[in-house]
Structure formats: structure tokens, C-alpha cells
Amino acid sequence: MTVDVLSPPAQAERQARTAVAVLFFTNGALFANLLPRFPQIKADLGIGNAAYGLAVAAFPTGAIVAGLAAGALIRRYGSGRVAVAGTVLTGIGVLAAGLSGSVVLFGTALLLAGAMDAITDVAQNAHGLRVQRRYGRSIINSFHAIWSIGAVTGGSMAAGAIALDLSLGQHLLISAVVFGIAACVALRFCLTGPDTEPDAEAAKEETNGETNGGAARETGAESRELAPRRDEKLRKTRLRTGYVLAALVLIAASGALVEDAGSSWAALYLSDSLHASGTLAASGYIALVGAQFVGRMIGDRLVDRFGQRAVARSGGVIAAVGMGLALAVPTATGTILGFATAGFGVATLVPAAMHEADELPGLRPGSGLTIVSWLMRLGFLLSPPIVGLVADSTSLRVGLLVVPLAGLMVMVLAGVLQPRRR
């Protein structure tokens, strides 16, 4: 449940918010430092496109393999410690990838980096949601906006390192050390104690007690008489939780799918199908990320005012209509605007799904968040080949219909999200 806080947040909460912001920033910056170096690594290793593609796929593969372990690690060690340890190990994995002398070592290093990135992602979101509960209002979208700033910073660092002719080892060592130290300093200001707040824990225990035979206080004939009713209530609660969790996965995957459509296909569609120049073609993804950043910056205020459900549903409409019109009347300028509206529309979806999953009754702390994050990453892995297959059999314009379809899916499923608080 969300804890209503009438008084301003105390210094500990403000410091914890800053600490989580640092963790999101470092997470965005670390891998972004490596991406612009991929062409150089590919050339140094002397590998073809197929081997390169398989090696790069090790990053999301590692995320999928290790992602489900995040919940157990958080329960054992705490979200703050897990996020910081994951950040440090992600930096080591990125550094190892840059120093790899063979495609096997390159893929193995990316596997490690992807695994640690997935665990870090769940842990920092879990800690961010914990801070949000202390604040009593939405702040999670601002963390995701800061992640975007970190990604831009990391990419700019890489561009600067290339311009200064720094070696891969020098550049990525600086990145790993700087952001690793930043994460370790942030840990000092993270919230202490167990991740589940006492009142939230009590509520979950009460729910679990009611649904898992919690009427032990009843005895004899009274207990036997109420047993069928308890079993039916347990069954309905489990069905409801399963339905909501599945809907949250689809909402998060919709946001991820739109983001991936921009990163994987925007430039290709603009250049090949609409014959835009290289500079203009690059604007599609930039427009999506820029609009997504704006949406996340104002997202918390919108959620507090209108509720997560209304914001997500409106965002689905914006994404579906904006990108749908761009595909219906294909022009370069219209398509760039279409990607921008799609990015703005889905800006709050992933944070919303993670928040709702973390609050589901009947689940152990961190479990819902872990499941949504893991399955969302599976969507990241599967969406590019699906769009590619559709594009090969028809056209990329048809393949990009997944974007307005994702918006429509959000409109249908947004009812599982929280309405405006009265």
C-alpha cells in the first residue's frame, strides 16, 4: 500500500532520493559508454556480422538468465546493497568486454554485464519505490528520466574518449571507476533496514494470513464451516493476482516494444522506406527518447493529479493515434513526430507497471517487480526479430504497426493500474 505522508520528507528521505537518482544515472551511463565502441571492437576482433550479432545478443541473454535472481538477492541483502554491487560488477563486465581478445570472451563479458545490469535494474527500482512510499507521492518517473540523462552522458563520454584517441582500456576503466565510486558513495545515503516497510509488511501478512489459512483462530465446527469460503477466497485472490501480474507484464512490454521500435527500426524506416538523409533518419530515435524524457519529467505530477490509470490510458491513446497517423500518411517529418508522440505516450508505462507489481498482495517482497522486469526484457529480446519477420514478408511500414497496437493494448489493460487517489 502507499503510505500517505502529510509532512515534508525528512532529510533521510531526501538523501535517499538523491542516492537512488545517482544509481539510475550510473546504470544509464555505464553501458552507454560501450555502445559507441562496438564498431571498433568488431573491427579489432575481425568478426563478421553474424558472429557480432550473436555476441551482442549475450547482453540481453545474461539479463534474462539472471533477472529472476534479483528478488531473492534483494530479500537477503537489501535493495541498496544489491543495486550498488550490481553497478560495480556491470562496470567490470563492460570493461572486460572492451578488453576482450576474442569473440568468446567478448560475448562472455557481455553476458556478465547483462546479468548484473538486470539485477541492478530491479534493485534500484525496488529502492526507488521504497523511497516513494516514504514520500507519499509519485517520484519513480523522475528516476527513469535521470536514467535517460545518464545514457546521454555515457554516450557523450564515449564520443569524447574517441575524439581524444583514448584506448578502449583507458576509457572503460575510467568509466567503471568513476561510476563505481559514485554508486558506493550513494550507498551511504540509501535507506537502512528491511526493504518492506513495517506497515506494508503487516498488510501483506494480513492478506496472506486471510488467503493462506489465516483463520487459524477459528476452531472446530466453525472452522470446518468457513473452510470452503476461505478456499474460494484464496482461489479468487490468486486468480486476481495472476491476471493483474500478466496485465502489468503486457503494459511494461508495450512500453519496451515502442522504445525498441525506435532504437532498432526508426533510422532504417526513415532512410530506406522514406528516403530521408542520414542526419534526418537519426532524428526518429532522438525524437522518441527526447519526448520520453519530457514525459518522465512531468509524469510524477500527472500521476499525482490524475492517477496512474488515466495517465497510462491517455498515453496509450497518444501513442496509438500519433504513430498510427504517421504510418497512414508516411512522410519523414510526420514519422519523426509519430515516434515523438509514441515516446511521450509510453514514458510512464514501465515505472507504472513496476510500481503496481511491487504492491501486489500475496507476493513476497521484490517478486512482482522481478517478474515484470524479467518478462519485459524477454520482450526486448523477441520484438526485433518479430518486427523483422513481418517486414520481410510485407514491409517495414506494416511491421511498425506494432507501435500503435501497443498503444491500443495499454488502453485496454490500464484498468489494472491505480486510479486517482481521493
Side-chain angles (χ1 to χ4, degrees):
M1 75 175 60
T2 302
V3 180
D4 291 321
V5 179
L6 299 178
S7 58
Q11 183 180 7
E13 280 73 41
R14 294 196 300 270
Q15 290 177 339
R17 182 177 183 177
T18 301
V20 174
V22 170
L23 293 175
F24 271 82
F25 181 88
T26 57
N27 182 248
L30 274 172
F31 192 60
N33 265 278
L34 181 63
L35 290 175
R37 292 288 202 164
F38 274 171
Q40 180 183 345
I41 294 172
K42 181 176 180 292
D44 289 346
L45 294 177
I47 57 178
N49 289 326
Y52 169 76
L54 287 173
V56 170
F59 187 87
T61 301
I64 291 169
V65 169
L68 287 178
L73 291 172
I74 290 170
R75 288 191 293 272
R76 183 173 178 84
Y77 300 107
S79 56
R81 291 191 183 93
V82 172
V84 172
T87 299
V88 172
L89 291 173
T90 299
I92 292 173
V94 168
L95 175 61
L99 296 176
S100 299
S102 70
V103 66
V104 173
L105 292 176
F106 178 55
T108 302
L110 286 181
L111 189 78
L112 168 66
M116 294 302 102
D117 178 76
I119 291 172
T120 302
D121 184 40
V122 176
Q124 68 187 11
N125 274 284
H127 207 79
L129 290 169
R130 184 181 172 195
V131 175
Q132 177 171 278
R133 286 192 288 271
R134 295 283 191 94
Y135 266 68
R137 57 184 172 85
S138 179
I139 60 173
I140 190 67
N141 289 290
S142 66
F143 294 138
H144 286 257
I146 290 169
W147 184 95
S148 299
I149 297 174
V152 172
T153 301
S156 301
M157 284 179 61
I162 294 170
L164 293 172
D165 201 26
L166 292 180
S167 68
L168 276 164
Q170 291 172 325
H171 163 214
L172 296 177
L173 178 61
I174 292 171
S175 172
V177 170
V178 167
F179 295 120
I181 290 174
C184 290
V185 172
L187 178 60
R188 179 184 176 188
F189 300 99
C190 287
L191 297 175
T192 58
D195 269 74
T196 305
E197 302 299 328
D199 51 353
E201 182 67 31
K204 284 197 173 186
E205 285 181 359
E206 181 181 345
T207 301
N208 290 335
E210 290 177 356
T211 58
N212 296 320
R217 57 185 176 273
E218 297 151 0
T219 58
E222 183 183 12
S223 179
R224 287 193 296 272
E225 181 181 338
L226 294 177
R229 195 179 305 169
R230 289 197 303 269
D231 291 342
E232 180 64 16
K233 187 176 181 180
L234 172 61
R235 187 184 68 84
K236 288 182 178 179
T237 299
R238 287 175 174 172
L239 285 175
R240 169 67 180 169
T241 299
Y243 165 73
V244 172
L245 193 59
L248 293 174
V249 168
L250 291 174
I251 289 172
S254 296
L257 188 150
V258 172
E259 195 174 322
D260 181 74
S263 62
S264 299
W265 303 106
L268 188 63
Y269 177 65
L270 283 161
S271 60
D272 289 0
S273 301
L274 302 180
H275 311 293
S277 65
T279 303
L280 190 61
S283 300
Y285 179 62
I286 294 172
L288 185 147
V289 174
Q292 186 180 57
F293 169 74
V294 172
R296 286 175 171 173
M297 286 299 292
I298 66 175
D300 290 316
R301 281 173 286 176
L302 293 175
V303 168
D304 285 334
R305 181 169 183 177
F306 301 108
Q308 194 66 259
R309 181 183 301 173
V311 172
R313 189 165 281 154
S314 300
V317 173
I318 291 171
V321 172
M323 197 62 191
L325 288 174
L327 293 173
V329 186
T331 64
T333 302
T335 298
I336 292 170
L337 290 174
F339 276 111
T341 58
F344 183 82
V346 304
T348 65
L349 295 186
V350 172
M354 288 182 168
H355 170 246
E356 199 71 28
D358 199 48
E359 303 289 323
L360 281 177
L363 295 178
R364 300 177 70 186
S367 296
L369 181 60
T370 300
I371 292 170
V372 168
S373 178
W374 186 78
L375 290 175
M376 180 187 70
R377 286 176 178 270
L378 191 61
F380 262 124
L381 185 63
L382 296 177
S383 63
I386 291 174
V387 173
L389 287 172
V390 174
D392 284 343
S393 60
T394 54
S395 68
L396 185 51
R397 182 182 172 192
V398 175
L400 287 174
L401 284 173
V402 296
V403 175
L405 288 176
L408 292 174
M409 183 180 296
V410 172
M411 292 164 56
V412 172
L413 298 174
V416 301
L417 299 173
Q418 290 295 321
R420 178 184 178 185
R421 288 184 295 177
R422 301 297 180 185

